[in-house]
């Protein structure tokens, strides 16, 4: 095996050392296609207190032990290396559910101390957020994305397998009052479950001043039941929303963002009124992929780099962090090598979501971190 095989702990697809020859931390987290990752997503924990049908099985998954998780200090160090040496400009804390982690505020505070101007966002289901929002704001959290697929109690319970809608709504209200804005809502539409509620969910978000983003159901569910035919596509989502609203492409440049944004106007006799109601985003990872401009680098809760959500190849950065005599330069080099071999699209060398060449990753979404 090569030096990179040993240091990065790749579980599959061993590579020769010369495949990493172009990786240079001085150029940031660049890949062979010229894309540069500047948006860092770090999963804090794989556990979650919901069991969303598009994410994990009803009985949950085998959780990582505390010793396997990255420590607060290791997370702080990785962010510091990413920002100071590799050109990271944005940070998103993910899970599982970040609020399950007791030292969440400590993690946010330490990162903010190192990087006063770094945007620090968090993706959460908001359960218990009302009790912790003040300490998180005080620690330096910038904003949040909340996963919420329905504002109907029965639909919410069917999708999440938990009767927790009231707790989520309390968390959202507390976050808005605390100034964690712009507050974004992430929703996954499931055919014959909540797709018919899409216009009403958008109306609720607009009324409350939130930005709703619909995300296509991706093949990252723990039950491995996903299929292309049952995915509510971006085109279908636009059609559903157009029953009640008029959508117009947002003029601001997308600039590597995963969501395609639309300005929303009320539909009145098929005419577009002057009143602008807000915006909505659609993340079409399956049917309208945006891989060519992907700028994300992901680190799992146990410290493995995943260059793509759909990658079956992982690089164990925790080994480089924890080996005796480890230096920031060494960690940066290994991280750059992991991103250098990022595939063209969806874990393959072919552009687009090509089902002939696609092989779903071994992990579900909760084990990867969004």
């Amino acid at each position: 095996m090569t030096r990179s095989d040993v240091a990065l702990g790749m579980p599959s697809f061993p590579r020769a050392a010369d495949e990493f020859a172009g990786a240079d931390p001085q150029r940031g987290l660049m890949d062979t296609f010229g894309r540069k990752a500047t948006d860092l997503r770090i999963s804090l924990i794989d556990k979650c207190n919901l069991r969303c049908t598009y994410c994990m099985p009803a009985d949950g998954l085998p959780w990582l032990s505390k010793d396997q998780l990255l420590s607060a200090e290791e997370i702080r160090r990785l962010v510091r290396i990413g920002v100071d040496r590799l050109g990271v400009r944005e940070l998103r804390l993910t899970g599982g559910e970040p609020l399950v982690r007791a030292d969440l505020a400590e993690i946010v505070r330490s990162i903010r101390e190192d990087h006063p101007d770094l945007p620090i966002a968090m993706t959460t289901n908001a359960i218990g957020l009302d009790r912790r929002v003040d300490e998180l704001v005080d620690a330096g959290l910038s904003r949040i994305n909340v996963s919420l697929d329905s504002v109907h109690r029965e639909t919410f319970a069917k999708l999440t397998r938990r009767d927790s809608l009231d707790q989520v709504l309390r968390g959202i209200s507390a976050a808005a009052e605390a100034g964690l804005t712009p507050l974004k809502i992430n929703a996954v539409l499931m055919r014959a479950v909540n797709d018919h509620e899409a216009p009403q969910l958008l109306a609720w978000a607009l009324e409350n001043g939130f930005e709703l983003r619909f995300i296509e159901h991706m093949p990252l569910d723990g039950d491995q039941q996903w299929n292309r035919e049952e995915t509510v596509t971006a085109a279908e989502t636009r059609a559903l929303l157009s029953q009640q609203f008029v959508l117009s492409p947002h003029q601001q440049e997308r600039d590597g963002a995963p969501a395609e944004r639309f300005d929303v106007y009320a539909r009145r006799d098929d005419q577009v009124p002057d009143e602008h109601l807000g915006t909505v985003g659609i993340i079409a990872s399956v049917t309208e992929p945006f891989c060519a401009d992907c700028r994300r680098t992901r680190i799992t809760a146990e410290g493995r780099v995943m260059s793509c959500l759909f990658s079956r190849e992982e690089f164990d950065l925790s080994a480089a962090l924890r080996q005796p005599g480890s230096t920031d330069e060494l960690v940066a080099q290994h991280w750059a090598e992991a991103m250098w071999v990022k595939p063209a699209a969806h874990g393959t060398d072919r552009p687009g979501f090509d089902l002939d060449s696609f092989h779903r990753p071994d992990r579900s979404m909760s084990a990867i971190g969004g």
Side-chain angles (χ1 to χ4, degrees), residues 148-152 155 159 185-207 210-215 232-245 247 264 279-282:
L148 177 63
D149 308 307
S150 176
V151 289
H152 289 281
T155 308
L159 282 165
I185 304 294
N186 295 341
V188 176
L189 294 182
M190 303 291 285
R191 194 175 300 283
V193 180
N194 68 332
D195 52 342
H196 63 287
E197 297 178 8
Q200 185 179 6
L201 186 59
L202 176 55
W204 171 84
L206 292 169
E207 181 180 348
F210 307 145
E211 181 170 333
L212 179 60
R213 305 196 308 176
F214 290 102
I215 304 174
V232 180
T233 68
E236 290 176 301
T237 301
R238 290 190 290 268
L240 286 166
L241 298 178
S242 295
Q243 295 172 6
Q244 185 170 334
F245 302 97
L247 304 185
V264 182
T279 62
V280 65
I282 299 177

Side-chain angles (χ1 to χ4, degrees), residues 80-231:
R80 185 171 63 242
I81 293 170
V83 173
D84 294 347
R85 296 180 179 273
L86 296 170
V88 165
R89 297 199 298 267
E90 297 178 70
L91 173 65
R92 174 84 57 83
L93 303 176
T94 70
E97 172 47 52
L99 288 168
V100 173
R101 188 146 172 169
D103 58 353
L104 175 59
E106 174 190 341
I107 291 170
V108 174
R109 182 172 288 103
S110 66
I111 294 170
R112 177 59 69 211
E113 288 175 355
D114 292 340
H115 312 286
D117 300 320
L118 179 70
I120 305 175
M122 180 176 74
T123 298
T124 175
N125 61 31
I127 294 176
L129 182 60
D130 54 323
R131 298 190 300 271
R132 302 185 66 183
V133 66
D134 290 338
E135 67 171 348
L136 291 172
V137 171
D138 181 68
L141 188 66
S142 305
R143 66 170 191 83
I144 60 168
N145 286 24
V146 177
S147 300
L148 177 63
D149 308 307
S150 176
V151 289
H152 289 281
R153 188 168 189 157
E154 290 184 2
T155 308
F156 179 92
K158 185 175 183 178
L159 282 165
T160 66
R161 304 187 178 104
R162 297 289 188 273
D163 184 15
S164 304
L165 178 59
D166 290 344
Q167 296 175 61
V168 173
L169 295 178
R170 284 201 300 271
I172 291 173
S173 295
E177 291 176 8
L180 288 177
T181 55
L183 198 156
K184 297 182 180 180
I185 304 294
N186 295 341
V188 176
L189 294 182
M190 303 291 285
R191 194 175 300 283
V193 180
N194 68 332
D195 52 342
H196 63 287
E197 297 178 8
Q200 185 179 6
L201 186 59
L202 176 55
W204 171 84
L206 292 169
E207 181 180 348
N208 287 280
F210 307 145
E211 181 170 333
L212 179 60
R213 305 196 308 176
F214 290 102
I215 304 174
E216 286 183 337
H217 180 204
M218 294 179 282
L220 294 170
D221 58 305
D223 288 322
Q224 301 195 13
Q225 298 299 307
W226 177 91
N227 67 72
R228 177 76 174 260
E229 290 71 29
E230 292 187 4
T231 298

Side-chain angles (χ1 to χ4, degrees), residues 9-29:
M10 292 183 287
S12 55
F13 315 120
R15 293 177 176 271
D18 59 4
E19 293 187 74
F20 301 96
D24 181 1
Q26 305 236 352
R27 292 191 297 172
L29 295 171

